[in-house]
């Protein structure tokens, strides 16, 4: 009788272990992320979670580290099937992501859908790093990223103060939107914030967002610097091509400088590097220059 009881106990224990195995496997299932929006994607990679990224949207392809990942399409026109087929456990996306019905389908399918603000401010860039760091269990890495950013911006502020001139440096920010279509970045854009942090002034303050470039607009802006993404400068044939653009060909005394495409599009954790490049273009002295 005692031997039978011991055998039954062993059987029950083995069945319990088998029943618990799926739950344990579920707990240890690898995290698979789809990231949408360049700032979100840049942050996830900067947090050391790049290996978990199984898909990115088209705008994230501005980041070299993301170009080898499967594409899930345009951020505003996502489809649920490709994301599910990738085995994604979470969608981390900027607020442009949609349509809403697709996001709801993904939630109903059990995917964790996290939507983050893409407001082009320094405060929001810091907050995005911290939110994603908490979500991914990378709090210490997130605080290290924020600390690095703060240090870069402190250096930039000191450099701007050292090179302060009587006349503010006027910067006109342009990017190519298709063939022969240049757009101007006004207020409340990522480049507007970068220009401010660099110690320059946006040459366009009459409107927010982006509008097509006009010859009249260039004359009114009276820019000292034309700021463009690297990709745009290449597409229009370098600085020589830029000088052939109507309006820019008539304006005198400006020079061109560039930032990486991703920094023109959004404010990611490495925005301090873009600020430093703008300051280089402005000809500001290095912080430690005598």
């Amino acid at each position: 009788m005692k031997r039978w009881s011991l055998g039954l106990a062993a059987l029950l224990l083995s069945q319990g272990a088998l029943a618990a195995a799926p739950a344990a496997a579920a707990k240890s299932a690898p995290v698979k992320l789809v990231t949408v929006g360049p700032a979100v994607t840049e942050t996830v990679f900067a947090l050391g979670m790049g290996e978990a990224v199984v898909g990115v949207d088209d705008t994230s392809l501005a980041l070299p580290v993301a170009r080898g990942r499967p594409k899930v399409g345009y951020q505003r026109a996502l489809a649920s099937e490709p994301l599910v087929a990738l085995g994604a456990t979470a969608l981390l996306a900027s607020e442009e992501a949609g349509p809403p019905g697709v996001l709801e389908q993904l939630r109903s399918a059990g995917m964790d859908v996290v939507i983050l603000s893409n407001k082009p401010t320094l405060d929001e860039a810091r907050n995005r790093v911290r939110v994603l760091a908490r979500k991914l269990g990378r709090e210490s890495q997130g605080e290290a990223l924020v600390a690095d950013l703060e240090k870069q911006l402190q250096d930039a502020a000191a450099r701007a103060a050292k090179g302060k001139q009587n006349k503010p440096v006027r910067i006109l920010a342009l990017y190519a939107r298709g063939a022969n279509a240049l757009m101007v970045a006004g207020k409340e854009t990522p480049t507007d914030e970068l220009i401010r942090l660099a110690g320059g002034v946006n040459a366009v303050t009459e409107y927010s967002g982006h509008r097509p470039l006009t010859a009249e607009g260039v004359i009114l802006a009276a820019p000292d610097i034309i700021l463009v993404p690297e990709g745009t400068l290449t597409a229009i044939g370098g600085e020589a091509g830029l000088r052939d653009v109507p309006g820019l060909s008539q304006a005198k005394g400006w020079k061109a400088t560039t930032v990486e495409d991703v920094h023109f599009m959004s404010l990611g954790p490495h925005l301090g590097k873009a600020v430093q490049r703008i300051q280089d273009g402005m000809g500001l002295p290095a912080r430690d220059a005598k």
Side-chain angles (χ1 to χ4, degrees), residues 157-169:
R159 189 178 179 190
K162 193 162 195 172
K164 196 166 185 179
Q165 303 170 5
N166 293 329
K167 180 189 173 188
V169 178

Side-chain angles (χ1 to χ4, degrees), residues 239-258:
E239 188 168 334
L242 196 61
R243 292 191 180 278
D244 287 336
V245 172
L248 296 179
S249 60
Q250 297 162 296
K252 305 297 181 184
W254 59 264
K255 61 179 181 177
T257 194
T258 64

Side-chain angles (χ1 to χ4, degrees), residues 54-79:
V54 297
V56 298
D57 75 304
D58 292 348
T59 65
S60 295
L61 298 177
L63 288 157
V65 291
R67 289 174 191 161
R69 300 298 192 273
K71 294 182 288 186
V72 298
Y74 179 53
Q75 59 184 348
R76 297 181 188 273
L78 301 175

Side-chain angles (χ1 to χ4, degrees), residues 191-234:
T191 43
D192 185 53
E193 184 79 335
L194 293 177
I195 291 167
R196 181 187 69 80
L197 292 169
V201 295
N202 192 339
V204 174
T205 58
E206 294 79 23
Y207 55 82
S208 298
H210 300 90
R211 291 189 184 179
L213 175 72
T214 65
E216 296 80 5
V218 175
I219 302 303
L220 288 173
D224 300 304
I225 289 175
I226 306 299
L227 176 66
V228 291
E230 291 174 341
T232 290
L233 192 63
T234 299

Side-chain angles (χ1 to χ4, degrees), residues 78-219:
L78 301 175
S80 56
E81 293 84 358
L83 275 71
V84 172
L86 288 170
T89 57
L91 170 67
L92 308 177
S94 66
E95 58 195 344
E96 292 88 351
V102 168
L103 301 182
E104 194 53 44
Q105 288 173 2
L106 295 172
R107 291 187 183 99
S108 298
M111 192 177 298
D112 189 10
V113 177
V114 180
I115 304 298
L116 299 109
S117 170
N118 200 33
K119 190 176 180 181
T121 66
L122 175 58
D123 285 343
E124 201 55 60
R126 290 191 197 99
N127 183 60
R128 184 166 43 246
V129 171
R130 288 179 168 134
V131 169
L132 286 169
R134 285 195 299 270
K135 188 69 185 177
L136 299 172
R138 297 272 172 149
E139 289 90 344
S140 61
Q141 291 90 337
E143 289 307 313
L145 273 180
V146 172
D148 285 346
L149 175 58
E150 297 295 351
K151 176 63 167 59
Q152 290 170 352
L153 294 180
Q154 286 171 7
D155 289 346
R159 189 178 179 190
K162 193 162 195 172
K164 196 166 185 179
Q165 303 170 5
N166 293 329
K167 180 189 173 188
V169 178
R170 297 175 61 80
I171 301 176
L172 182 65
L174 308 175
Y175 76 98
R177 185 177 181 180
N180 303 316
L182 284 174
M183 303 292 289
V184 180
K187 298 184 297 182
E188 299 177 3
T189 58
T191 43
D192 185 53
E193 184 79 335
L194 293 177
I195 291 167
R196 181 187 69 80
L197 292 169
V201 295
N202 192 339
V204 174
T205 58
E206 294 79 23
Y207 55 82
S208 298
H210 300 90
R211 291 189 184 179
L213 175 72
T214 65
E216 296 80 5
V218 175
I219 302 303

